[in-house]
Amino acid sequence: MSDPAHPDAPLMLTVSGVRGIVGKTMTPEVAENFAAAFGIYVKSSSERDWPLLCLGRDSRPSGAELGEAVARGLARAGCDVVDLGVVATPTVGVMIGQRDAAGGMVVTASHNPNPWNGLKCLNADGVAPPPDVAAQIIRTYQENHSGRVDPGPAMNIAREDMANEIHVARVLDVIESAPIRARKFKVMLDSVNGAGCVSGRMLLDHLDCRVIHLNGEPTGEFAHTPEPTKANLTELAERMKAEDAAVGFAQDPDADRLAIVDENGTYIGEEYTLVLAAKRILDMVAATSGGGVVVATNLSTSRMIDDLAARYVGVEVVRTAVGEANVVEALKQAGDRGLIGGEGNGGVILPRVCWVRDSLSSMALVLSLLAAEGRPLSEIVADLPHYVMIKKKYDLSAIGGRDAVGPMLEKVKKHYAHERINDADGVRVDVTDGWVHLRTSNTEPIVRLIAEAKTEAGVVARIDEVSDLASLT
């Protein structure tokens, strides 16, 4: 696969927004015009003369200039803007609700390394717009309608400097803090010099944790490859062994995802973040209401969550297409029963905080679980269901482009016609000992292949079989 930071990478226009290479495909002009296209949509669908939008950005050096361009584009389209500065993506989600805003934009490329940057559109719930709306915004941008917007009478752009405090307070309101404070956990936090540096540390300080903060300055010059995978968190794992900490947390650059390392320095992995957070929620519900809960997650997330849910009475797991907005929609449809959702990439959605994947909510729930269980994280994990997962990705240009994906999916569906198939997003096949999922990424020009089984031999065999079927090898 080609380097995702390659300067020839195209501008990516997807349901998640837009991403490109700074100074190449992602420029202030692109940012301003795309923001204006989003602003046109918000303006047209709002009852307000000047709808309010919240603007935040991660810590990448290019974010300040692009953020100014976004503010100009939104204001030019007839929207008021409240600039939150460098904040986590979930913080923007919290502030949309706090300010009763019509939506927001985040200048971020999430886990992509520098020199990528991008823009993420958020609706009034703080999640990405549905596919039909995203397509409408993209069409407006491509047709350059945004370049012909008449400027409003004034650019109303205000600052808000308390967003981090408001977010942390919201998280503290939904957990029982006293048991955590009593334990005075020693916690290592790797914020990868991203947007979660301030709010992540603030939360842990409020919980009386003894914090060792790695890469805790929001410079945007990432100390390591920013996606929180095992290969990228070697420093955190090594330091855990030496510092005798209870848990290690790793955020991604916009702090919506969280990976976890146990007290022995073992990388637990992003797949366990949702499972551990859900366990704490389900334990609390079991002690009070006795069930009736919906947990929502996507098709690419581990079967561990299904096995965990089966341990409780009246807990239903709802599977959706990949994408935060799809998980949120499932939670909303569940009403009061939808208490938690998320994805296997380390993203946990706690609706009582916001409708956005949130590393702060994840940290709080894991610490609450540790306080309630009174035993090491490694022992808690050992009692959870165990699977082996392999994730692979293939450059679209190397396999014939997007047009080649459809025939691949049909081959897989035909081969597994006798098994349980879900084709809501690519194709996922569930078999007795595991599953496999083949789909096109929403955020990168790649095809993803994910498989899970009880044993390493089983998952390797499944990956090899589907790779051969889809001509990916």
Side-chain angles (χ1 to χ4, degrees), residues 10-300:
L11 184 70
M12 293 192 62
L13 296 159
T14 73
V15 293
S16 299
V18 57
R19 296 187 192 187
I21 303 298
V22 174
K24 301 287 186 179
T25 53
M26 176 52 66
T27 64
E29 181 181 11
V30 168
E32 180 173 346
N33 286 336
F34 190 83
F38 178 55
I40 290 171
Y41 164 73
V42 173
K43 178 85 169 180
S44 67
S45 58
S46 175
E47 296 179 355
R48 305 175 188 176
D49 291 336
W50 284 76
L52 177 66
L53 293 172
C54 294
L55 170 63
R57 59 184 174 91
D58 71 23
S59 59
R60 296 167 200 263
S62 59
E65 184 179 27
L66 292 175
E68 290 175 359
V70 167
R72 288 195 303 271
L74 294 175
R76 201 177 76 204
C79 300
D80 288 339
V81 179
V82 56
D83 184 359
L84 308 176
V86 176
V87 294
T89 292
T91 306
V92 179
V94 168
M95 293 306 297
I96 288 171
Q98 181 79 14
R99 298 293 294 265
D100 191 26
M105 290 198 84
V106 189
V107 182
T108 181
S110 187
H111 63 274
N112 289 45
N114 284 326
W116 283 87
N117 213 333
L119 311 177
K120 184 173 184 178
C121 304
L122 303 176
N123 64 20
D125 288 328
V127 297
D132 59 331
V133 172
Q136 178 183 336
I137 295 166
I138 290 171
R139 281 196 303 272
T140 301
Y141 166 74
Q142 291 174 327
E143 293 167 3
N144 202 31
H145 290 173
S146 54
R148 297 197 293 272
V149 176
D150 293 329
M155 291 178 61
N156 188 0
I157 302 174
R159 281 280 304 183
E160 168 61 76
D161 296 322
M162 294 295 291
N164 287 322
E165 288 83 355
I166 292 169
H167 184 179
V168 169
R170 186 78 62 84
V171 174
L172 294 174
D173 280 346
V174 302
I175 63 166
E176 191 176 351
S177 301
I180 302 173
R181 293 191 176 110
R183 293 291 302 274
K184 298 193 181 300
F185 289 114
K186 190 173 188 180
V187 177
M188 296 199 69
L189 173 64
D190 182 352
S191 296
V192 73
N193 308 108
C197 289
V198 174
S199 57
R201 178 61 183 262
M202 186 183 297
L203 172 70
L204 296 177
D205 285 344
H206 274 287
L207 292 172
D208 287 347
C209 294
R210 295 170 291 152
V211 183
I212 301 172
H213 203 173
L214 305 181
N215 309 314
E217 295 295 325
T219 61
E221 299 292 348
F222 307 134
H224 54 75
T225 304
E227 188 166 14
T229 61
K230 181 178 181 179
N232 299 332
L233 298 178
T234 54
E235 180 189 9
L236 176 61
E238 288 299 321
R239 289 286 299 274
M240 285 292 296
K241 298 175 185 177
E243 297 287 353
D244 192 30
V247 63
F249 295 129
Q251 299 169 300
D252 72 332
D254 70 327
D256 63 346
R257 294 166 56 183
L258 186 77
I260 303 173
V261 175
D262 74 12
E263 77 281 0
N264 299 316
T266 301
Y267 175 81
I268 294 173
E270 296 173 292
E271 290 290 339
Y272 279 91
T273 304
L274 174 59
V275 178
L276 291 167
K279 184 180 189 310
R280 183 60 189 137
I281 291 291
L282 295 177
D283 283 347
M284 290 188 290
V285 170
T288 56
S289 66
V293 173
V294 166
V295 179
T297 191
N298 69 32
L299 292 171
S300 285

Side-chain angles (χ1 to χ4, degrees), residues 340-381:
I340 190 168
E343 301 180 292
N345 60 7
V348 171
I349 300 166
L350 194 58
R352 290 178 61 193
V353 175
C354 63
W355 294 105
V356 185
R357 295 175 306 196
D358 180 18
S359 64
L360 273 64
S361 295
S362 305
M363 288 191 284
L365 286 171
V366 171
L367 289 170
S368 179
L369 179 65
L370 286 172
E373 294 270 341
R375 55 183 180 144
L377 181 58
S378 62
E379 292 186 13
I380 298 174
V381 170

